[in-house]
């Protein structure tokens, strides 16, 4: 089935919340979990998402948002650097959708004039390979999660 990507909007907050369960399931049950910060009040300035659709139904999403130092995400590196989250529904993984989503989101970050994107990932998560392929490098190795950052080269034209 062909997959179509579209830009996400404020109306996609609910789907992003569903996807967040997949992306950060391992953190949701920890007391003091920060995960709701990735979607709460979705649609504020800087919020950017790409949604993957198959036969009109959403099957995955990648998104980023800016955090403040006093209310950071897990992969926070600074106020001007948005943090990324990504997930594909379990039955559709391994077919390149995550790769397409990440590529499209990096383009949106470039269009938005951002110099970098960050994220937080469990060291054993196979998603790390995907991130590395798209230029993310580890900048901090915590016991449970690593922070990665990608520099986004501005277009020359
Ligand atoms: C990570 C994820 C978004 C990748 O989406 P995808 O559509 O499966 O990705 P692709 O098919 O483009 O494959 C890209 C890479 O994802 C990883 N991957 C592939 N299938 C996977 C699966 N079933 N489960 C986890 N990771 C998988 C592999 O490293 C793959 O790289 P490879 O092709 O070199 O082996 C998706 O697997 C997912 O939703 N995982 C659970 C949520 C998650 O961990 N999010 C990241 C939190 S930091």
């Amino acid at each position: 089935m062909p997959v179509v990507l579209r830009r996400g909007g404020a109306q996609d907050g609910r789907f992003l919340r569903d996807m967040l369960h997949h992306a950060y399931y391992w953190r949701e049950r920890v007391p003091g979990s920060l995960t709701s910060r990735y979607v709460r009040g979705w649609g504020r300035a800087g919020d950017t998402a790409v949604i993957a659709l198959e036969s009109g139904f959403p099957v995955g999403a990648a998104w980023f948002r800016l955090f403040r130092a006093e209310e950071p995400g897990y992969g926070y590196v600074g106020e001007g650097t948005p943090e990324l989250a990504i997930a594909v529904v379990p039955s559709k993984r391994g077919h390149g959708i995550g790769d397409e989503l990440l590529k499209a989101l990096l383009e949106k970050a470039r269009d938005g004039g951002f110099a970098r994107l960050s994220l937080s990932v469990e060291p054993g998560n196979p998603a790390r390979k995907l991130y590395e392929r798209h230029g993310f490098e580890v900048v901090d190795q915590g016991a449970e999660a690593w922070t990665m950052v990608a520099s986004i080269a501005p277009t020359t034209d």
Side-chain angles (χ1 to χ4, degrees):
M1 277 289 177
V3 167
V4 174
L5 300 188
R6 69 156 168 81
R7 190 181 180 116
Q11 78 282 4
D12 293 305
R14 193 170 185 170
F15 180 64
L16 297 188
R17 189 173 291 275
D18 289 348
M19 291 294 96
L20 188 68
H21 296 313
H22 292 296
Y24 276 153
Y25 59 91
W26 54 287
R27 278 174 155 158
E28 276 181 343
R29 286 171 196 83
V30 178
S33 168
L34 311 181
T35 57
S36 62
R37 291 182 183 177
Y38 290 83
V39 292
R40 194 189 306 141
W42 182 258
R44 73 186 190 207
D47 285 352
T48 303
V50 181
I51 313 285
L53 303 167
E54 197 185 83
S55 306
F57 292 100
V59 294
W63 69 101
F64 63 70
R65 98 183 308 189
L66 289 161
F67 291 87
R68 285 175 291 122
E70 60 274 24
E71 213 178 62
Y74 288 108
Y76 180 81
V77 296
E79 292 211 341
T81 303
E83 192 179 325
L84 169 149
I86 184 169
V88 170
V89 297
S91 62
K92 302 293 175 188
R93 289 177 194 164
H95 300 293
I97 299 174
D99 197 67
E100 290 292 315
L101 281 169
L102 190 50
K103 198 167 121 207
L105 194 70
L106 284 164
E107 272 166 30
K108 296 257 178 271
R110 185 175 296 114
D111 294 348
F114 294 106
R116 301 191 304 162
L117 269 190
S118 73
L119 61 84
S120 175
V121 63
E122 278 178 294
N125 188 332
R128 243 182 68 204
K129 248 169 67 185
L130 173 66
Y131 298 145
E132 282 163 4
R133 270 213 304 272
H134 286 272
F136 283 86
E137 291 175 0
V138 178
V139 295
D140 184 66
Q141 297 189 356
E144 294 191 341
W146 291 4
T147 302
M148 300 182 82
V149 170
S151 294
I152 298 163
T155 48
T156 47
D157 50 49

